[in-house]
Amino acid sequence: MELFDSTKQVLSTVFTNPSPLMYSGTDLLLKPVFLRGFSGSLHLVLLFALFVSWTCKKLKVGASDSEGSKERFNNRRVLWNKLTLFCCLGFSLFNLVLCLLSYFYWYRNGWSAEKLVTLLDLVLRTLGWGAICVYLQTQFFNSCEQKFPFLLRVWWGFYLSISCYCLVIDIVLYKKHESLPIQYSVSDVVSVLTGLFFCYVGFSWRNEGEDTLLLREPLLNGASNGEQSSIKSNGADSVTPFSNAGLFSLLTFSWMGSLIAFGNRKTLDLEDVPQLDSGDSVVGTFPILRNKLEANGGVGSGLTTLKLTTAIFFSVWKEILFTAFLALLYTLASYVGPYLIDTFVQYLGGKRVFNNEGYLLVSTFFFAKLVECLSQRHWFFRLQQVGIRIRAVLIAMIYNKGLTLSCQAKQGRTSGEIINFMTVDAERVGDFSWYMHDPWMVILQVVLALLVLYKNLGLASIATLLGTIIVMLANFPLGRMQEKFQDKLMQSKDKRMKATSEILRNMRILKLQGWEMKFLSKIIELRKTETGWLKKFVYTSAVTSFVFWGAPTFVSVATFGACMLLGIPLESGKILSALATFRILQEPIYNLPDTISMIIQTKVSLDRIASFLRLDDLQSDVVERQPRGSSDTAIEVVGGNFSWDNASSNPTLKDINLEVSHGMRVAVCGTVGSGKSSLLSCILGEVPKISGTVKLCGTKAYVAQSPWIQSGKIEENILFGKEMDRERYDRVLEACSLKKDLEILSFGDQTVIGERGINLSGGQKQRIQIARALYQDADIYLFDDPFSAVDAHTGSHLFKDEFMVLIVEVLMGLLRSKTVIFVTHQVEFLPAADLILVMKDGKITQAGKYGDILNSGTDFMELVGAHKQALSTLDSIEGGPGSEKIGISKENRESSTNGGVDKQDKISQNGESDEVAGPEGQLVQEEEREKGKVGFSVYWKYITTAYGGALVPFILLAQIIFQTLQIGSNYWMAWATPVSKDTKPPVGGSTLILVYVVLAIGSSFCILVRSTLLVTAGYKTATLLFNKMHLCIFRAPMSFFDATPSGRILNRASTDQSAVDLNIPYQVGAFAFSMIQLLGIIVVMSLVAWQVFIVFIPVIAMCLWYQQYYIPSARELSRLVGVCKAPVIQHFAETISGSTTIRSFDQEARFQDTNMKLNDGYSRPKFHVAAAMEWLCFRLDMLSAITFAFSLIFLISIPVGVIDPSIAGLAVTYGLNLNMLQAWVIWNLCNLENKIISVERILQYTSIPSEPPLVIKANRPDRSWPSHGEVDIRDLQVRYAPHMPLVLQGLTCTFPGGMKTGIVGRTGSGKSTLIQTLFRIVEPAAGQIMIDGINISVIGLHDLRSRLSIIPQDPTMFEGTVRNNLDPLEEYTDEQIWEALDKCQLGDEVRKKEGKLDSRVTENGENWSMGQRQLVCLGRVLLKKSKVLVLDEATASVDTATDNLIQQTLRQHFTDCTVITIAHRITSVLDSDMVLLLSHGLIEEYDSPTKLLEDKSSSFSQLVAEYTARANSSF
C-alpha cells in the first residue's frame, strides 16, 4: 500500500504542476505519452510480424524436421534456450503485474490520456513477449535451426536501443528534478537488463553455435539413421534420472522433463523408458522381503497374513515414515486457510490491526499453499513408488511359489486362479499404498477441524464432532456389505477366468467339434453370476457416495443449528471459516468409504495370497541327490510307496524296488494307467513319498509325454539356458531329425514359436523336446514315451540315433556313460533295453531282459501278443515275411533316411526356398497397441453404449443442479449473516437455517439421482462390452488364437474388464463433475472481482498447454503398462504348465530371473507414469497458487467499501480449493485418458474379423447329410496366412465313401493341414472340397463341423464331470453315454468312481492318464456316430494293446463310415482301403496299400520294410 501512496503523491505533483519541459510543444520526443505510445506501436508491429512469420511457416509444405537434428543441440545450448524462454515468460508476467497494479491504482485516482496510453503499452508488451514465448516453444525449438530467427534478433537489438533511450530520458528528467511515476523507472531499468541479455544470446551465440556444429558434423554424417536412433533411444540401458537427480530437480520433478520432452517428439517405446533404480527394482527389493519373512518365521505353513503384512511393512518402512511426515505437513498446511479466513474478512471489512497486515496475510496464504503443494506431490509420488515395489515383490513371491507347488496343492488351484493372484491381488495390495495414511489422517483432520471450529464457534463444534461420528458410523454397515459383495465378486470372477483360460487353451478342439457357442454360453452364465454381485456392489457404492456427498451439508446444518440453540452469534467471517473447514473435512469423510473398502479389499487379497503361499511345496526330501561319480548306482529306489493323493488309502505306486547302474538302458512298459509315468515322476521327486528311499547320482534330463514348449525361438527352446556350443547343437539337431524341419521353416531355428508350440506339428514339438534334453548333456535321461507323436520313419531314426549319439560319446570317452529310462508303448523298442520293467496297477510285476521275462509272466506276454497281432496284419498284406524283404529293408534303411531326404529337399527347394520373409512373416507378432491420441470415437462409443447415451444428460443435469444449490447455500450463509457483531443481520435466525436446510436437502437428493444413474449406465456398458468382446473372440478364426498368446486375451478379460466394471464409470463421472465444480468456482470468484479473469485466462491457457505437452508421453507410457503386463502373465502361465520340466532340468533360478526381468519391464513404465503425473500436477499447483495469490492481492488493493467483505470472503473460501480442483480436473482428464485405454483395448477385440457364418439359412444341408461320406478334393491349395508360403500345393484326390483311407508322410508334410481344411479351420486359398456333392465352403461352419467327427491329436478333457466331457451339448441320454463308455472300454473304470457319470474331472483332465483321455475322445465319436470320421494321430499316446482295442472298436462300429486316418504306426494304416502319402504339400503316392507294397521302389513300401525290420529284429 505504501508503494501506491508514494506513487499517488508523485502523480498528483506531476498533474497539478505541469512542467514546461514535458508540455512545451518543442520537446515532443521527451514526453512519456509519446515514448509509451511509440513502444506500444512497436509491440503491435512485432505481434503482426510474428503472426505473418507463423502463417508462412504453416503454408510452407515439406519443411522437414529431421529428428536427428534435434539431437545436435548440446546440453549447453538447451540450457540457454530454456533460459531465453523463461526470461521472455518472466518479462511478460512482469508487464502483466505492472499493468494490473497501475490499473487498480488509477482506477481509484481517475484517468488521463497518458495513463490510458501507458496501460495500453503494458497490455501490448504482455501480449508481445507472451507471443515470443509461444513462437520460441512451437516454431524454433522444434526446428533444426542453430541460431535464433533473424526477426527476433533484429527485434531484440531494436528493443534494447529503445529501452536505453527511455532510461536516458528518465535520468535526464531526474537530473532536472522532474518527478516521474515510479512504474516508468522500474519498467525501463528491467527493460534495459532483459534487452542486454537477449542481445547477448541472439548475437554472441551465433559463432559458438556454428563451431559446435562444425565440430559435430562429421560424426553426424558418419552415423546412419539407424545408428542415430540407437544412440538416441538408449533409455533402456540408462538408469532413471531419478536415482541421481539434484535437490531442486527432485523437488520440482524436473528429472522427468527429458522423457516427457522425448515423448513429445516421437511415440515412446519400451526401449525409450529408462531402467529402474536398484532400490525400486524387484531384484533389489525381493531379497529384503524374503529375509524379513524368514526372520519372522513366515515361511511355508507358518506364514500368516499378519506375518506377511509386517514383513512388507518393514521392507519399506523408511519410505512409509517419510510419506507420513509429508502427509502431516500437508494436513497442517491445508488448515492454515480456514484458520485465517475470519481475520481476512475482518481486514476487508476495515478492521486493521497493523500496517501491511494485508500483505502478511497474503504471504501466509501463499506460503501455506506452497508447502501444501510440495508435500502432497511428493507424498503421492513416494507412495506410488512404494506400491510398485510391493506389487513387484509379491508377484515374485507368487511366481516362485508356483514353481515349487506340490502336485496335490496344484490340483486344488487352477492356473487361472493362480494367475489371478498375480494380476488382481498383488496389483490391489500395491494400489493400497495410496490409502496407507488415510486412517490416521482422518483422525488428525477431524481434530484440527474441531480446533479451528472451536476458535470460531465455541461449543457448537461439539455438534460437528457428533455429526461427523454419526456419518462415519453410517458407513460401517455399508462397508460390511461392500466387503461381502467384493469377496463374492472376486470368487465369481475367479471361476469365470478359470473357465476362460481353459477354453482358450482348447479352442482348436471346440472349433473342430463345433462346440464353441455352447462354451460361450457357459462363460456368459458365469458372467451373469458375476454381474449379479457387481450390481449389488455398485448400487451399494452409490448409496455410500450419497451418504458422503451429503455429509458436509449434514454436518454444517447440525453445527449452525447448534449455534442458534446455544445463542452463539453467527458472523460471516466465522461462517466462511466453518464452511472452508467443512470442505476440507469433507475430503477425509469422502475418502473414508474408499479407504475402508480398500482396506477390506486389500485384506481379502492379502489373505488369498497368504493362503496360496501357505500351500504345500514339493517334499524336498523325496530324492537324495548324490554328487556326480560318488556311486556306481545311478538310480536306486528301495521299498518305495508313493501316492499323488495323501488322503487316499490306495497308493499310486506300491513296493517299488529298483536299482539302475550307470550306463544302463531301462524300458518301462505296461497298459494304460498302470503307473509308468508316475514311476518317472517319483524318480524326479514329483510324487509325495509315503515310505522308502530314492537315491539319484548325477544330473538328469526329462522329456514329458505331452510336449511342453515355451513361446520364443526354437533355438532358445533347445539351448534352454545353456551356452551355445555350435558343434554339439548341430549334432543334436541331426540326432533329432530336426535339420529338415528347420530348412522348411522360413526362419530356421530363429522361428518364433507360438504359445504352447501352436505353429508346430505334434512330432516337431516332441523332437524339439528331445533335442532340449540331449543338449543338456545330463547323466540320467528320463523319456516318458516321447516317440508317441513321431511318425514311424522318424521314430526308428530317432531311437537309433539317440542311442547312437550316447554310445558314441561313451566310446569316445568324452563323458561318463549315460543312464536312460524310457517309458514306451512300442514293443519293438524293447529288445534294445538292458532292463525291462513291466508295470500293472502301480506295481512292477516283472523285471529283466527281453528274453528272460517273455516267458516268465502273463502281463508282458499280453503286450507282446498284441504287437504280434498288429504285425500279422502286415504279414498278411505282404504275403509273409521273407528273408529277402528283410534284406531289402536293411539296404533301404540308409536310402530311406538319406535318399528319401534328397528327394524331399528338391521338392522343398522348388516349393519354398524363394519364400524369404521379414519379421512380419513370423506367426506371433508383437502385441499391437494403438498409438497417438485416444480417439474421440472411443469415448463416444463408451458413453453411448448403454441406452444410446440417454442417461448422460440427466447425470450432468443432476450434477449442475447440485453444484448450483451448494454454491447457493454458501452464498446465502455469507450474505445473510453480519460481518461483525455491531451490524444488524438482514434476516432472522430461523429463516437463515430453514433456507439453508432446504437447499441442503435439495443438493443431497441431486447426489442420490446422480450416483444411481451413473452406476446404472456404467454397469450396463460393462455388460454390453463384455458380451460383444466375448462373442467376437469366440467367433474369431483359429489363426487369431494361433497368433495371439492367450495372455493377451486373458488380460483383456480380467484386468481391462475389471477397469470397465469398477473404475471407468467413476473416472468419466469424476472428470465431468470436477469440471462442473471448477466452473462453479470460477463463476463465484469472477462475480466478486471480474478482474481475476485477467490472470485466469493465461493461467488456464498454460494449464491446458502443459496438459497437451504431458499427454503424449503419459498416454504411451500407460499403453506400455498394458502391453508389458501380458508377457508377465504369459510367462507365469507357461511356467505353471511346465513346472515339472523346469524342475527336472534344475532351471528354477533362471526362470525366476526371467520373471524378475519381465516384472521390472512392467514396473518401469508404471513408475514413470506416476512421476509424469506428479510432474504435471506440481506445475498446475504452482500456477493455481499464483492465481490465488493474485486474487488475494486484488482484494486487498480494492478500497474499503467497494466490495462486500463477506462475499469477498466467500470467493477466498472457494479460492482455497482452487488449486486442488484445478489439478483435480487435469488429473481426472489425464487419468481418464490412461484408464480409457482399457475400453480401447476391449474395443480392439470387438472388431476381430469373424469366421464365416455358423449357419447359412439358404444353404442348409439335408438332415441326413453326409449319407454316403465321399470326400472329393479338387486342386486344393492352402496357406496359413496371406504372407506365408503354400502348405498344400494343389492336391486332387477322392476318398471313396464308406472306405478307410490312411494318410502318411513325414512330420510337416501337410497331413494335419489337410484335416484342418476339411473342418474349415483353415480356408482354402484355391480349389475346393466336396462331401457327397456339396461344396463344404458354401454351407455354415456349424452344419459342417457337427456332421463330421474327429479324434484329435492331443486328447483333451475339460474341467467338470465325465458326463459333460462326453456330451457338452447335452444331446444324449445316460444310457447312450454308458453304452459309448462300454464300447471304448472305460465303463468299468467310471463305475469304480464314486460319482459315476458325475465324477469330477480336474483342469485339463489331469486326474486321468493320457491313454484314458484318448479313450474319452473315442467315446465322444461313438456318441456322435458321424458318416465321416477323422483320426488325427489318435493312437499315438496309447500302448499297442489299447491301440488294437481302439482299432477293433472302430472296425466294429464304423464299418460303413468314411474313416480318414493320419497315422504314425504303419499297422494302423495297413488295413486301410487306400493310402495317401504326402510330401511337402504334394501327393507323392495314392493307392491301395497292397499295390503300393508290390512296387518295391515306392516310398510307402520302403517305410513298411523299415518298420518290419525294426519289429522283427525285436523278436
Side-chain angles (χ1 to χ4, degrees), residues 141-293:
F141 293 163
N142 289 338
S143 73
C144 49
E145 291 172 46
Q146 274 298 308
K147 45 195 186 208
F148 285 104
F150 179 70
L151 169 70
L152 283 187
R153 285 180 293 149
V154 168
W155 163 252
W156 286 336
F158 210 61
Y159 182 72
L160 178 62
S161 42
I162 293 170
S163 305
C164 290
Y165 175 68
C166 289
L167 189 61
V168 169
I169 297 281
D170 290 350
I171 295 165
V172 168
L173 291 176
Y174 180 73
K175 290 270 188 197
K176 297 201 172 183
H177 305 291
E178 300 292 346
S179 289
L180 264 182
I182 196 166
Q183 290 102 306
Y184 289 9
S185 315
V186 172
S187 167
D188 291 341
V189 169
V190 173
S191 298
V192 170
L193 293 174
T194 46
L196 282 168
F197 170 76
F198 288 129
C199 286
Y200 167 73
V201 170
F203 295 100
S204 70
W205 184 260
R206 182 172 132 197
N207 304 334
E208 218 176 314
E210 281 168 1
D211 291 348
T212 49
L213 187 60
L214 283 170
L215 280 171
R216 289 163 152 254
E217 203 61 43
L219 285 170
L220 282 167
N221 291 344
S224 69
N225 275 352
E227 286 169 64
Q228 225 167 296
S229 65
S230 71
I231 296 165
K232 202 170 56 213
S233 63
N234 58 356
D237 309 327
S238 61
V239 175
T240 174
F242 171 71
S243 54
N244 49 18
L247 181 65
F248 178 75
S249 179
L250 281 176
L251 277 178
T252 59
F253 294 95
S254 305
W255 56 270
M256 238 341 260
S258 53
L259 186 65
I260 291 177
F262 192 65
N264 248 305
R265 295 206 295 269
K266 79 176 266 290
T267 304
L268 285 180
D269 287 310
L270 190 59
E271 54 269 21
D272 303 322
V273 182
Q275 294 290 353
L276 293 176
D277 183 47
S278 60
D280 291 314
S281 158
V282 67
V283 182
T285 47
F286 179 64
I288 301 173
L289 179 74
R290 194 179 49 209
N291 298 341
K292 293 269 188 285
L293 270 177

Side-chain angles (χ1 to χ4, degrees), residues 1309-1328:
S1309 59
K1311 306 187 295 276
S1312 294
T1313 307
L1314 178 58
I1315 298 310
Q1316 293 195 59
T1317 316
L1318 184 63
F1319 281 83
R1320 284 176 65 195
I1321 295 291
V1322 185
E1323 294 287 335
Q1328 57 186 29

Side-chain angles (χ1 to χ4, degrees), residues 714 718 732-751 759-768 790-791 793-794 797-798 901 904-905 908 912 1305-1311 1480:
I714 292 179
I718 295 174
V732 167
L733 289 185
E734 191 59 55
C736 296
S737 316
L738 276 168
K739 283 263 164 90
K740 280 177 289 306
D741 295 289
L742 296 182
E743 281 161 17
I744 297 169
L745 297 166
S746 319
F747 298 90
D749 61 1
Q750 298 303 306
T751 302
N759 47 344
L760 298 173
S761 73
Q764 286 167 329
K765 282 189 249 185
Q766 274 295 17
R767 298 213 300 281
I768 286 173
V790 183
D791 40 58
H793 171 124
T794 325
H797 166 65
L798 262 180
V901 169
Q904 280 163 339
D905 270 356
S908 90
E912 271 142 28
R1306 265 198 102 235
T1307 305
S1309 59
K1311 306 187 295 276
H1480 287 88

